Amino acid sequence: MTTTGAGPTGQQPLKVALLGHGAIGSVLADRLTAGAVDGARLIGIIARPDVAGSGTPCPGSTRPESTLPGTPRPGATEPGPPHPDTSPEPETTQFGETPRGTPTATAPGGVPVLDLAEGIAAADVVVECASVAAARELGPEVIAAGRTLLVASIGALADAATAAALTAGPGRLVLTTGAVGGLDALAAHRQAGGLRDVLIISTKRASTLLQPWMDDAERTALERATTPVTVFEGTAVDVIDRFPRSANVAVAVGLAVGDPRAVTVRMVADPAATRTVHRISGASDAGAFRAAVENDPSPRNPASSALVPYAMLSALAALARPSGRFA
Ligand SMILES: NC(=O)c1ccc[n+]([C@@H]2O[C@H](COP(=O)([O-])OP(=O)(O)OC[C@H]3O[C@@H](n4cnc5c(N)ncnc54)[C@H](O)[C@@H]3O)[C@@H](O)[C@H]2O)c1
């Protein structure tokens, strides 16, 4: 059994810094502060520069996917042009009621608020749970500093240059299983000669699939539709720019099978959906793969799944205490 190389060995706790304190990060902060992961300790939350007090708006921040109430649009099978969402995020502030631009020393629970350089210096593991843009723009700095980076925004790896930077070392990149499972079996099928006909169908509440790039007609149609509607069909690489908050799972499946371009993604808006459902299928010379995961929406962010922070805690547990068992 080897250690992770991510942090200290022996009795030293794994020092964890969070990059992102929203739906996922706030659960991670609460659970880590409560001692939920044996051998891991939360040492700080890395704030957006505008919150930490540098006065520089963070280039990695993104506007969240809309959460307006609504239903899907009929016949909406032609997506609009790619629209990478790199605008400042106006709706969400970190650390509860802390207003954007207010220097903050601690988050709720007394957790220190750090800037990126401080977080990298102090942590063994930086946990990204911010945005695809933040993972793309800030993740390489963590890796270059030799730290372990645990990533939620896996969609960032759909970009080849980002994937190269995040895997260049000396730090180690760890991907959460996030909102799905079975990625290990998909990777095994890949070893067995590669998967064919890989398809992921993600069905979500229509309201969580509204996008800033949609025009009024598309938005209205989506809001008024009464039956499930396919809003996107294409490769895992193509989907992430259009649905940056909803396609991390598709890119994760693409990475597991070895080629995000070989994965067909169908994004379905369902006005009756109470859960987010991901159905994944494919076949190889070793057999076939078929799985379905049903996730409750995060109570804090309905575009996010309630399961994800717990997947990340599981990954941290494995890093903190390599044990030869599922964490
Ligand atoms: N892998 C998966 O299966 C999976 C599932 C759900 C969500 N995600 C991804 O995880 C990420 C976080 O999701 P969430 O639901 O917690 O989002 P959220 O919007 O609730 O929270 C994100 C937080 O990160 C902060 N943030 C943004 N940019 C930052 C930066 N540059 N520096 C510091 N903080 C920054 C925001 O202010 C916000 O508080 C998203 O990219 C989402 O797409 C992945």
Side-chain angles (χ1 to χ4, degrees), residues 134-306:
R136 277 182 183 153
E137 292 164 21
L138 306 180
E141 206 173 321
V142 178
I143 294 291
R147 300 296 187 261
T148 293
L149 177 67
L150 172 59
V151 167
S153 304
I154 292 173
L157 282 97
D159 173 60
T162 302
L166 291 179
T167 54
R172 178 182 175 193
L173 177 68
V174 178
L175 305 177
T176 181
T177 53
V180 285
L183 299 169
D184 49 355
L186 288 170
H189 278 287
R190 174 188 177 190
Q191 294 289 346
L195 271 95
R196 302 178 294 274
D197 305 323
V198 185
L199 172 67
I200 173 166
I201 304 173
S202 295
T203 304
K204 304 188 73 161
R205 288 183 189 178
S207 55
T208 66
L209 289 172
L210 288 166
Q211 298 297 317
W213 51 259
M214 290 177 173
D215 62 27
D216 287 346
E218 288 175 309
R219 294 175 67 85
T220 303
L222 191 62
E223 288 165 358
R224 291 186 181 165
T226 55
T227 55
V229 174
T230 297
V231 295
F232 175 89
E233 184 158 331
T235 74
V237 170
D238 297 329
V239 71
I240 193 69
D241 283 337
R242 294 182 172 100
F243 298 91
R245 304 290 292 268
S246 300
N248 292 287
V249 162
V251 177
V253 167
L255 294 172
V257 305
D259 182 5
R261 293 199 178 280
V263 175
T264 299
V265 183
R266 190 175 303 153
M267 199 72 79
V268 178
D270 184 352
T274 55
R275 287 178 165 164
T276 296
V277 181
H278 302 289
R279 294 183 179 81
I280 305 166
S281 57
S284 81
D285 291 343
F289 181 91
R290 204 175 307 279
V293 180
E294 296 187 19
N295 291 324
D296 289 337
S298 159
R300 180 162 169 172
N301 176 358
S304 204
S305 289

Side-chain angles (χ1 to χ4, degrees), residues 19-25 46-49 58 60-62 64 89 92-94 100 128-132 134 138 151-154 176-180 244-246 248-249 300-301 303-305 308:
L19 177 65
H21 191 250
I24 296 171
I46 299 170
R48 298 159 60 112
C58 175
S61 61
T62 63
E89 181 178 337
T92 310
T93 55
Q94 287 190 307
R100 183 75 46 80
E128 180 283 322
C129 44
S131 70
V132 166
L138 306 180
V151 167
S153 304
I154 292 173
T176 181
T177 53
V180 285
R245 304 290 292 268
S246 300
N248 292 287
V249 162
R300 180 162 169 172
N301 176 358
S304 204
S305 289
V308 181

